[in-house]
C-alpha cells in the first residue's frame, strides 16, 4: 500500500472518530427529548384523568318553602326570587322565570334534587291577600299545598388552591359560546393537533425580537394545559412543556372532551382567595344568572376576559373591558358567528355586571367556614373538594342579607356619632355614609340562630368579608364582660336559695386574691345601690351585687355552667370570671345563650342539614340532638329577668328599633376599657349575638348598649317572623307581682310592680301598698298577687 493511500485512510479514520462524539451527543439529546416528551405525555394524560372531573362540594342555603297562609307579600317574594337567580319577564317561556302582576305572581320553577327526593319543574300561579299567600295552583288549576324552590348556591368547598367552579355538562354548553371561543381564541381548533404552527411562528418572531416571551399563539388546548398543570411564568422552557402536553392530550382525547374541560376549567377572575374557574361560575360571578341566560353582549364579555381576567376585569377596568368586548363582537360579526345587526346592538349595551363581586347573597365565606368545620368530622378534605357533593344548610338568605346590611350600617353610624349612647335610627344609609370621614376602624360579627333547633340561619364574620378573611364570628375570642352575668344568676336560682324577688347587697366588696392582691370591683356608675332586688341587679347589671352573689353560690358552680350549656371546656375558676373575665367567640356565646333561649335544653348549633352525592342520593342527615342542660324552672326565672333587662335595664334602648309590644330578652356586655361591645338577645323564634370591637384590641369607647345593641335591635326588627318571647310557665312557679326595686311582693299598680315567676313556697315578704298608689291601680290590684 503506497504512502498516499495510507495517509488517506488515516485521515478518513480520524474524521470518523472526530464526528462520532457529535453523533453520539445528538443521539443522546434526541433520546432525552423523546424520553422527556413521552414522560410528560404520560404524566399529563394521567393527571387529566385524575383531575378534569374534580368538582368541589356545592353548598346551598335553606330552600324557600311556599304554602297557603305564609306571611309573605308579592314584593318580598319577587325580590327573593330575583336574589336567587330567577329572571323577571313579561311572559313565562322557560324554567327559572317569573312574572308579577297586581295581586299575583307566576313562577316557572326549576327541577332540583333535594335530599328527600326530586322537586319537579312546574308552572305556578300564586295569589296574595293581606300580606299572606292566599292560594297556589299549577298549570292545570290544581291546588298545590307546598312548593320548595331551588335553593341558592352560596359557595363551594375547595382544595387548598381555592378553585371554585360550577360544572356545565356537555349538552348544556351554549353553542354560541363554543363558536365564539373558536373564533376569538383558536380558529383552527377543529383542524390542528394541539399546536397552531403559524400562530407559533408569529409569536416566535415577536418574542425573539424582544428577547423574552411577549406573545403566546396558544391554542385552546395549550390554554387548558396551562390552566390545569402549569404556572403563569412566560419562559421558553414552560412553553415547550406546554406544547408537548397539548399534543399528548390531543392524541388521547376527542375535541369535544377537551372543549368541555376548557369551558369548566379556564380561569376567569378572582374574589379574594377564591379563584373563579369556568364559564358556569363566571356567569354567576359577573352577571348573577346562569350561563344559558346570557345575552350576546354578556357572552362576548366573558370571552373577552379570557385573554386577561385581571387586565380586563370589568369591575376594576371597565374601559378596557368594554373596548375588548366590542372588539370581540366586531370579530364575531366579521367571521359570520354573529349577525351584524346583533353585534351593533350588543356594542351599545353597558357591561351589565353586578355591582359587587361574588354577589353578596350568593357567596357566604364566613358561613362556609362553619360548614367546613362541621363537615370535617364526617368527610375527608379530598372528598369534599372532588366528589361534587351537595351540602344543604340552614342559611336563611333573607336574614343573612339583613344581618350584613345592619352590621355595615351600624358600624357606619357608630363611626359617624362617636360616644353617642343611642345613635339616631332615623338617619338614612346615605346620610350616615356621608358623615363618616373615612372607613370605620370598627369591626363586628353577627350570629343568628333558631333556639329550638340550633339552626344557624345567619353568620357574619365582619364587614364586607371576603374569602380568606379573618372570621370574627368563629375565631375572634374576646372578653365578654357582663354578657356572662346570667350564668351567675342561673347558678343562684338552681341552688334553690334565691328567687327573682330575693334581696341582694350592691355594696363595695374586697376580694383577697391568691397572689396577695385585693380585687375591689366597682359598678359602671362608680356608685353602690345598697339593697336591691335580684331581678334589678341583673337587669341593670350591678357588678358588686353580682360578685357577692357569685361568691356566695360558688365560682366553681358558675364555671361548670359553661360546659353544661354547650362549650367544650370549663374556664379557669377565679373571682373575675363572675364579671366576664373570659374570652369567647361570638359563636360560643351563641351556643351558651341558645341553651338559655331554649329553656335550658342544649341543642348543638348546626349549619348543615343534609348531604347528598352528585346524583342526589342522600349520604347523611344531621338530626336534632337535644339534652337537658339546666333546670327548666331556674332558666324560666332567669329569662324573665332578661326580659326586664330589655324592658327597663341596660337593654332598654332597643325599643327605639323593635316593633311595638315585642317581648325580647337579652343582656349587654362591655369589656375593660371599652374594648369590646356585646349584646345577646332572643325572641320566641330567633337568637342574635352581636360583637363590635377593633382588630388591634384598642378601645372603642362603646358600652354594650351604645354599640352592639344598636346593631342587634335593627337585625331583630328586620326578621321575617318575629314573635314575642313567651315560654310556658312551669308547674312549680307562680306569677306574682313584685316590687322591682326592693323585691317585696305587692299588687299590680302599686309602686314599681312587675309580674315575675316566683316559687309559691318562697318566703318573700310583702310590702304595704300605700303612698303613690292610684285608685285605678288599687282597683286593678285587688286580688292580685
Amino acid at each position: 500500500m503506497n504512502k498516499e493511500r495510507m495517509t488517506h485512510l488515516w485521515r478518513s479514520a480520524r474524521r470518523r472518530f472526530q464526528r462520532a462524539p457529535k453523533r453520539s451527543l445528538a443521539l443522546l439529546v434526541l433520546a432525552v427529548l423523546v424520553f422527556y416528551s413521552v414522560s410528560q405525555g404520560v404524566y399529563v394524560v394521567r393527571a387529566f384523568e385524575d383531575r378534569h372531573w374534580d368538582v368541589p362540594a356545592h353548598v346551598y342555603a335553606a330552600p324557600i318553602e311556599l304554602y297557603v297562609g305564609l306571611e309573605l307579600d308579592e314584593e318580598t317574594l319577587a325580590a327573593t326570587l330575583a336574589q336567587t337567580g330567577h329572571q323577571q319577564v313579561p311572559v313565562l317561556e322557560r324554567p327559572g322565570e317569573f312574572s308579577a302582576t297586581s295581586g299575583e305572581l307566576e313562577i316557572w320553577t326549576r327541577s332540583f334534587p333535594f335530599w328527600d327526593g326530586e322537586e319537579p319543574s312546574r308552572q305556578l300561579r300564586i295569589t296574595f291577600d293581606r300580606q299572606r299567600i292566599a292560594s297556589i295552583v299549577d298549570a292545570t288549576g290544581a291546588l298545590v299545598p307546598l312548593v320548595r324552590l331551588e335553593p341558592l348556591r352560596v359557595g363551594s368547598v375547595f382544595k387548598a388552591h381555592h378553585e371554585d367552579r360550577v360544572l356545565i355538562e356537555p349538552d348544556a354548553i351554549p353553542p354560541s359560546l363554543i363558536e365564539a371561543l373558536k373564533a376569538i381564541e383558536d380558529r383552527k381548533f377543529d383542524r390542528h393537533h394541539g399546536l397552531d404552527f403559524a400562530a407559533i411562528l408569529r409569536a416566535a418572531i415577536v418574542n425573539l425580537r424582544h428577547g423574552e416571551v411577549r406573545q403566546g399563539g396558544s391554542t385552546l388546548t395549550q390554554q387548558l394545559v396551562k390552566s390545569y398543570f402549569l404556572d403563569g411564568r412566560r419562559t421558553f422552557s414552560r412553553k415547550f412543556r406546554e406544547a408537548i402536553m397539548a399534543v399528548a392530550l390531543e392524541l388521547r382525547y376527542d375535541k369535544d372532551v377537551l372543549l368541555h374541560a376548557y369551558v369548566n376549567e379556564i380561569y376567569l377572575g378572582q374574589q379574594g382567595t377564591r379563584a373563579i374557574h369556568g364559564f358556569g361560575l363566571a356567569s354567576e360571578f359577573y352577571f348573577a344568572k346562569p350561563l344559558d341566560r346570557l345575552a350576546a353582549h354578556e357572552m362576548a364579555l366573558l370571552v373577552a376576559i379570557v385573554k386577561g381576567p385581571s387586565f380586563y376585569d370589568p369591575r376594576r377596568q371597565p374601559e378596557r373591558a368594554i373596548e375588548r368586548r366590542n372588539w370581540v363582537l366586531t370579530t364575531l360579526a366579521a367571521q359570520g358567528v354573529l349577525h351584524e345587526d346583533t353585534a351593533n346592538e350588543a356594542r351599545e349595551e353597558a357591561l351589565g355586571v353586578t355591582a359587587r363581586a361574588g354577589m353578596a347573597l350568593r357567596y357566604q365565606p364566613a358561613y362556609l367556614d362553619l360548614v367546613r368545620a362541621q363537615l370535617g368530622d364526617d368527610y375527608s378534605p379530598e372528598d369534599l373538594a372532588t366528589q361534587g357533593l351537595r351540602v344543604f344548610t340552614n342559611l336563611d338568605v333573607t336574614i343573612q342579607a339583613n344581618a350584613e346590611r345592619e352590621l355595615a350600617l351600624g358600624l357606619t353610624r357608630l363611626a359617624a356619632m362617636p360616644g353617642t349612647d343611642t345613635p339616631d335610627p332615623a338617619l338614612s344609609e346615605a346620610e350616615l355614609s356621608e358623615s363618616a370621614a373615612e372607613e370605620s376602624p370598627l369591626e363586628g360579627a353577627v350570629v343568628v340562630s333558631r333556639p329550638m333547633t340550633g339552626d344557624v340561619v345567619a353568620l357574619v364574620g365582619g364587614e364586607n368579608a371576603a374569602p380568606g378573611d379573618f372570621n370574627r364570628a368563629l375565631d375572634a375570642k374576646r372578653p365578654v364582660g357582663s354578657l356572662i352575668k346570667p350564668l351567675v344568676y342561673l347558678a343562684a336560682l338552681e341552688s334553690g336559695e334565691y328567687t327573682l324577688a330575693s334581696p341582694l347587697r350592691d355594696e363595695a366588696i374586697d376580694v383577697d386574691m391568691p397572689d396577695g392582691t385585693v380585687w375591689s370591683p366597682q359598678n359602671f356608675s362608680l356608685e353602690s345601690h345598697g339593697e336591691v332586688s335580684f331581678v334589678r341587679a341583673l337587669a341593670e347589671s350591678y357588678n358588686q351585687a353580682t360578685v357577692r352573689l357569685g361568691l356566695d353560690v360558688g365560682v366553681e358552680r358558675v364555671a361548670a355552667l359553661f360546659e353544661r350549656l354547650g362549650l367544650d371546656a370549663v374556664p379557669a375558676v377565679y373571682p373575675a370570671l363572675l364579671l366576664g373575665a373570659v374570652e369567647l367567640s361570638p359563636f360560643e356565646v351563641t351556643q351558651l345563650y341558645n341553651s338559655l333561649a331554649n329553656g335550658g335544653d342544649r341543642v348543638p348549633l348546626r349549619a348543615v342539614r343534609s348531604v347528598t352525592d352528585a346524583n342526589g342520593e342522600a349520604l347523611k342527615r344531621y338530626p336534632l340532638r337535644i339534652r337537658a342542660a339546666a333546670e327548666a324552672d331556674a332558666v324560666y326565672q332567669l329569662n324573665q329577668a332578661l326580659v326586664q333587662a330589655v324592658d327597663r335595664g341596660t337593654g332598654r334602648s332597643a325599643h327605639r328599633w323593635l316593633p311595638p309590644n315585642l317581648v325580647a330578652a337579652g343582656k349587654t356586655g362591655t369589656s375593660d376599657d371599652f374594648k369590646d361591645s356585646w349584646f345577646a338577645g332572643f325572641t320566641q323564634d330567633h337568637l342574635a349575638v352581636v360583637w363590635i370591637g377593633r382588630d388591634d384590641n384598642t378601645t372603642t369607647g362603646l358600652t354594650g348598649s351604645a354599640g352592639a345593641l344598636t346593631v342587634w335591635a335593627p337585625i331583630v326588627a328586620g326578621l321575617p317572623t318575629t314573635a314575642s318571647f313567651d315560654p310556658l310557665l312551669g308547674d312549680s312557679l307562680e306569677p306574682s307581682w313584685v316590687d322591682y326595686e326592693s323585691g317585696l311582693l305587692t299588687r299590680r299598680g302599686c309602686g314599681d310592680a312587675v309580674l315575675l315567676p316566683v316559687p309559691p313556697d318562697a318566703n318573700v315578704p310583702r310590702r304595704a301598698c300605700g303612698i303613690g298608689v292610684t285608685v285605678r291601680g288599687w282597683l286593678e290590684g285587688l286580688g292580685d298577687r
Side-chain angles (χ1 to χ4, degrees), residues 182-392:
K182 292 178 181 179
I184 301 301
E185 295 294 326
D186 191 354
R187 298 179 188 178
K188 298 180 181 179
F189 177 77
D190 293 323
R191 302 192 300 275
H192 65 60
H193 296 287
L195 303 176
D196 183 348
F197 291 101
I200 292 175
L201 180 61
R202 289 194 303 270
I205 294 172
V206 173
N207 297 336
L208 288 172
R209 185 181 301 153
H210 292 87
E212 61 181 1
V213 178
R214 287 287 187 90
Q215 196 175 98
S218 296
T219 64
L220 289 176
T221 313
Q222 287 176 277
Q223 293 178 34
L224 176 62
V225 165
K226 176 183 174 182
S227 184
Y228 257 144
F229 308 110
L230 303 176
D231 56 38
R233 291 177 299 173
R234 291 196 165 195
T235 63
F236 290 106
S237 62
R238 190 196 65 75
K239 291 295 293 183
F240 178 67
R241 188 181 180 203
E242 175 189 293
I244 292 173
M245 289 181 166
V247 172
L249 287 183
E250 288 270 358
L251 292 175
R252 175 66 178 81
Y253 298 102
D254 293 337
K255 294 283 188 179
D256 289 343
V257 174
L258 297 177
L259 272 175
H260 181 216
Y262 182 94
V263 166
N264 285 297
E265 170 62 25
I266 198 69
Y267 172 71
L268 288 169
Q270 194 78 26
Q271 183 193 21
T273 59
R274 177 197 188 201
I276 307 302
H277 281 257
F279 285 86
L281 182 58
S283 179
E284 293 186 2
F285 180 71
Y286 291 111
F287 302 111
K289 53 186 175 181
L291 184 62
D292 62 358
R293 299 301 304 268
L294 296 187
H297 69 283
E298 295 166 330
M299 190 74 78
L301 178 60
L302 293 187
V303 173
I305 291 172
V306 170
K307 185 176 179 62
S310 298
F311 191 80
Y312 295 108
D313 185 334
R315 294 190 179 94
R316 296 175 180 270
Q317 305 293 343
E319 294 83 6
R320 292 179 188 169
I322 204 165
E323 181 180 358
R324 171 72 179 170
R325 184 206 66 180
N326 288 347
W327 177 86
V328 168
L329 288 167
T330 300
T331 303
L332 294 178
Q335 296 189 34
V337 175
L338 200 63
H339 193 278
E340 186 67 37
D341 291 342
T342 304
N344 290 337
E345 292 175 2
R347 280 192 292 268
E348 298 300 318
E349 295 283 350
L351 287 174
V353 297
T354 56
R356 287 186 60 186
M359 301 149 295
L361 280 174
R362 286 179 169 265
Y363 192 74
Q364 300 298 337
Y367 197 92
L368 287 175
D369 288 341
L370 177 60
V371 170
R372 289 188 192 95
Q374 296 191 350
L375 288 175
D377 294 335
D378 301 305
Y379 299 92
S380 71
E382 183 71 16
D383 286 342
L384 290 175
T386 63
Q387 298 304 308
L389 303 180
R390 295 176 182 233
V391 181
F392 297 93

Side-chain angles (χ1 to χ4, degrees), residues 56-59 153-164 271 273-275 363-381 384-385 391 393 459 466-469 471 474-475 606-608 611 622:
H58 289 167
V59 182
R153 194 178 77 90
V154 294
S156 303
V157 180
F158 324 106
K159 287 185 177 179
H161 45 61
H162 292 280
E163 291 182 8
D164 194 10
Q271 183 193 21
T273 59
R274 177 197 188 201
Y363 192 74
Q364 300 298 337
Y367 197 92
L368 287 175
D369 288 341
L370 177 60
V371 170
R372 289 188 192 95
Q374 296 191 350
L375 288 175
D377 294 335
D378 301 305
Y379 299 92
S380 71
L384 290 175
V391 181
T393 74
L459 189 144
D469 286 356
N471 192 333
L474 299 180
D475 301 324
R606 58 176 193 162
V608 180
V611 179
Y622 291 81

